[in-house]
Amino acid sequence: RVAHGGARGSAGSTPPGTNPPTVLDAYALDIPAVSTLHIQQPGLYFVACPTTSGWAGAVVYESVDNVAYSIAGTLQTPHVMGAATNVLAVGSTLTMDVTNTVNVRMSNGATLASATIDEVGIGANWFLLGDEILAFLTATLETDGSYTLSNLLRGLRDTSDHMATHAVDERFVRLTALGENAIWWPFPDGLAANGRRRYIKIVPAGALLADITAIDFT
């Protein structure tokens, strides 16, 4: 809680404290489209989840000069996100990877569940690990609350060149619910945006735009 420095009201009472803005894990995902609705125009996916209590949504701002910002959208629901606790080894894109597994520590109390191959085929349990897009069939809950993901489909959406770049603590982002909990933001200038620099700020409710470090990419 934000300290109120011993201030007193007119009747000598202490005013109620105020909660500071929640701290976010937030990303502007510059990845291949994961929906056929998004393949006609380049853009970004915006996702965020709280790492502290007090989630009240977040506002996404975009800029071309890191000075003047405009609102790109509002995130109302925390996304399902986490981080890897081990390094996922390189696997095959030709068959299901039944050898390698990845353990993930979830944020914000999020949970994962197993799915059938038919369910995965229509989009269940797709996720981003680092910069590789994968899907898992089996999620095993461990005693420490983390999940071990196995029976993996690797290098989806032509991301196999990222299979050798995995690391401990890299981002885990569930892609299945991007249409529900995330924002798809097509570039306002379409294909003309190629090569242009962009700045994105994902600001939790109650925070100041100036206090958030921009996500900078070209």
Side-chain angles (χ1 to χ4, degrees):
R1 301 178 72 85
V2 175
H4 45 66
R8 293 291 185 269
S10 59
S13 60
T14 301
T18 57
N19 289 320
T22 186
V23 177
L24 300 180
D25 274 340
Y27 299 104
L29 301 178
D30 184 13
I31 62 174
V34 295
S35 168
T36 55
L37 299 176
H38 305 152
I39 62 175
Q40 299 299 325
Q41 186 173 358
L44 301 173
Y45 296 100
F46 302 134
V47 296
C49 77
T51 61
T52 59
S53 61
W55 168 268
V59 180
V60 182
Y61 295 85
E62 62 90 13
S63 172
V64 295
D65 58 8
N66 202 22
V67 176
Y69 277 85
S70 59
I71 295 177
T74 301
L75 293 165
Q76 298 182 347
T77 306
H79 204 71
V80 176
M81 294 164 52
T85 66
N86 69 311
V87 178
L88 177 62
V90 174
S92 174
T93 59
L94 302 178
T95 61
M96 183 181 299
D97 186 348
V98 297
T99 301
N100 300 303
T101 65
V102 62
N103 182 266
V104 293
R105 179 182 63 257
M106 304 306 297
S107 300
N108 194 39
T111 61
L112 301 174
S114 300
T116 67
I117 187 65
D118 290 336
E119 291 170 331
V120 169
I122 57 174
N125 287 350
W126 284 47
F127 66 100
L128 180 71
L129 188 70
D131 291 307
E132 181 187 359
I133 296 176
L134 309 88
F136 66 89
L137 271 68
T138 306
T140 302
L141 179 61
E142 306 294 353
T143 56
D144 63 357
S146 66
Y147 288 87
T148 297
L149 308 181
S150 57
N151 297 320
L152 305 173
L153 301 180
R154 305 293 303 271
L156 302 177
R157 292 293 193 264
D158 196 29
T159 58
S160 58
D161 54 334
H162 297 292
M163 285 198 297
T165 63
H166 292 297
V168 173
D169 287 332
E170 67 183 342
R171 63 188 179 186
F172 168 95
V173 180
R174 192 177 72 174
L175 301 180
T176 301
L178 277 180
E180 302 170 12
N181 303 339
I183 294 173
W184 161 249
W185 183 67
F187 294 137
D189 39 5
L191 291 173
N194 186 38
R196 292 183 179 175
R197 201 168 190 177
R198 299 279 183 177
Y199 301 88
I200 302 296
K201 291 190 177 187
I202 302 179
V203 184
L208 298 176
L209 181 67
D211 291 339
I212 303 301
T213 300
I215 303 168
D216 178 3
F217 69 96
T218 300

